[in-house]
Amino acid sequence: FFGCHLEVYPRPTGDIYICGLGGSRILSPEEVEPGSEVQDAECVSADTSRATAGLRSLESISPRMAAHANAQRADAAGDQVTVQACIRPCPSDALPVISPVRTTRGAFIATGHNCWGILWAPATGKAMAELILDGASSTLNLSPFKLDRFQQ
């Protein structure tokens, strides 16, 4: 829908959090170095057209939830929708890293899930617990997610 792979999270407060709007630019390693522009919040801005596409997608898949969101916006004083930009962890191959860190004894890493981190957290947590406690995961095949895959 509108180029989105939408994730919808109704919050206990009544707010509806939408993410996974697709089309994010992948930053180079140099762009995320300390002192780079993306580390200055004033230099990072949201694309409101993508937020609008997300709301349209929500309306097409759940008219009832969209009606609730629109009612909330109508009642809000001032801002209709909060639109935010963030830098999500996403490796260059778009796969998360779920792996031991071979260069540091006893270190493990689970990162880079992009916008899917909330959804994948239970499976990643279980696989990491197995990896740490048992030396391997029986829940997931972690070979595609090894940190070593970036070493040439």
Side-chain angles (χ1 to χ4, degrees):
F1 300 173
F2 304 99
C4 296
H5 27 239
L6 202 62
E7 290 184 57
V8 180
Y9 301 97
R11 300 281 170 94
T13 61
D15 292 344
I16 299 171
Y17 175 75
I18 302 171
C19 70
L21 302 177
S24 297
R25 184 172 68 87
I26 295 178
L27 301 176
S28 69
E30 296 77 28
E31 290 177 287
V32 295
E33 288 291 323
S36 67
E37 188 176 88
V38 298
Q39 299 205 3
D40 181 356
E42 299 296 319
C43 296
V44 178
S45 61
D47 181 345
T48 56
S49 68
R50 291 176 61 200
T52 299
L55 289 171
R56 286 187 187 144
S57 291
L58 178 63
E59 289 169 351
S60 69
I61 61 175
S62 178
R64 183 175 176 193
M65 193 175 289
H68 173 74
N70 286 327
Q72 280 187 311
R73 289 187 296 160
D75 292 342
D79 294 336
Q80 290 189 352
V81 175
T82 300
V83 177
Q84 298 173 318
C86 64
I87 297 176
R88 296 185 312 258
C90 183
S92 57
D93 62 3
L95 293 175
V97 177
I98 307 170
S99 174
V101 179
R102 301 275 180 222
T103 57
T104 306
R105 187 173 184 262
F108 297 83
I109 188 168
T111 189
H113 293 72
N114 199 345
C115 63
W116 306 107
I118 295 170
L119 292 176
W120 292 355
T124 298
K126 184 172 183 179
M128 283 297 290
E130 293 170 345
L131 181 61
I132 292 166
L133 296 173
D134 304 331
S137 172
S138 60
T139 300
L140 297 173
N141 173 6
L142 296 180
S143 59
F145 310 119
K146 286 184 178 181
L147 178 60
D148 300 352
R149 72 183 189 263
F150 298 108
Q151 296 176 346
Q152 302 290 342

